[in-house]
């Protein structure tokens, strides 16, 4: 697995992947850092496309990512991740709505768990999933980052300039 770090307005993030595609985006929060595996190779060259797309996203110039993704998970988790990719930029869905969309209307908590295990946040937009009452709940990058991303997409957040 190859990896690099990418600076963003929400802090440095770890990018990791291989010939299959991007496998991991890890937030580098002070209280919880995603670390590369002992056998991973630092190599920024293979991540130029994703870094450019993230830059364009944070500038407000990109709404749909086109990088090759290779997330891993159970069949249910992958079904949830696929559903997340269909939530349009600037919109939100509740966990219950996602559960209904994937044909498991009573599985809102399981959707929440799968959402929490999303290995590719931002690109697979788990930040667009909120509580049924409109509350911001759960996000690997922290709720302030989730708010930042939602505000960015709704036009409320100042666009980041590099």
């Amino acid at each position: 697995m190859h990896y690099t770090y990418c600076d963003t307005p929400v802090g440095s993030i770890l990018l990791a992947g291989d010939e299959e595609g991007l496998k991991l985006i890890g937030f580098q929060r002070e209280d919880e850092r995603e670390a590369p595996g002992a056998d991973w190779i630092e190599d920024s060259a293979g991540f130029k496309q994703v870094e450019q797309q993230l830059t364009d996203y944070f500038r407000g110039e990109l709404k749909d990512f086109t990088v090759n993704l290779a997330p891993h998970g159970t069949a249910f988790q992958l079904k949830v991740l696929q559903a997340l990719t269909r939530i349009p930029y600037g919109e939100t869905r509740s966990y219950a709505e996602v559960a209904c969309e994937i044909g498991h209307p009573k599985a809102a908590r399981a959707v929440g768990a799968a959402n929490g295990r999303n290995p590719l946040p931002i690109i697979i937009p788990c930040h667009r999933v909120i509580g049924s009452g409109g509350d911001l709940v759960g996000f690997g990058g922290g709720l302030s980052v989730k708010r930042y991303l939602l505000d960015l997409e709704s036009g409320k957040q100042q666009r980041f300039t590099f």
Side-chain angles (χ1 to χ4, degrees):
M1 182 98 75
H2 291 156
Y3 76 96
T4 193
Y5 291 94
C6 177
D7 290 326
T8 76
V10 296
S12 179
I13 57 175
L14 172 68
L15 304 174
D18 59 21
E19 61 281 345
E20 290 181 52
L22 188 65
K23 293 182 180 268
L24 176 74
I25 294 175
F27 292 102
Q28 302 300 293
R29 296 177 13 189
E30 297 219 7
D31 59 333
E32 184 177 320
R33 295 188 183 278
E34 189 79 43
D39 60 340
W40 293 10
I41 300 164
E42 188 166 10
D43 174 23
S44 63
F47 296 95
K48 296 301 180 197
Q49 181 187 23
V50 68
E51 288 180 294
Q52 184 61 55
Q53 287 190 22
L54 285 165
T55 296
D56 293 345
Y57 170 80
F58 283 110
R59 285 183 177 155
E61 300 169 0
L62 179 79
K63 294 182 180 183
D64 297 304
F65 291 91
T66 59
V67 294
N68 188 31
L69 305 178
H72 287 182
T74 66
F76 181 82
Q77 289 167 341
L78 294 174
K79 193 173 189 179
V80 170
L81 296 180
Q82 185 61 41
L84 300 181
T85 66
R86 293 189 294 272
I87 303 172
Y89 181 95
E91 294 185 22
T92 59
R93 299 290 184 272
S94 70
Y95 295 99
E97 288 172 319
V98 174
C100 287
E101 181 183 333
I102 64 169
H104 297 280
K106 295 183 180 192
R109 286 189 182 179
V111 165
N115 202 54
R117 289 188 179 92
N118 177 8
L120 295 163
I122 302 173
I123 294 177
I124 296 180
C126 56
H127 61 278
R128 295 179 189 157
V129 184
I130 60 175
S132 293
D135 298 332
L136 295 188
V137 292
F139 186 66
L143 292 181
S144 62
V145 172
K146 185 172 189 165
R147 170 53 50 208
Y148 180 96
L149 297 173
L150 292 173
D151 286 351
L152 173 74
E153 292 183 9
S154 70
K156 295 177 187 172
Q157 177 64 46
Q158 182 87 10
R159 303 288 192 228
F160 185 75
T161 54
F162 291 80

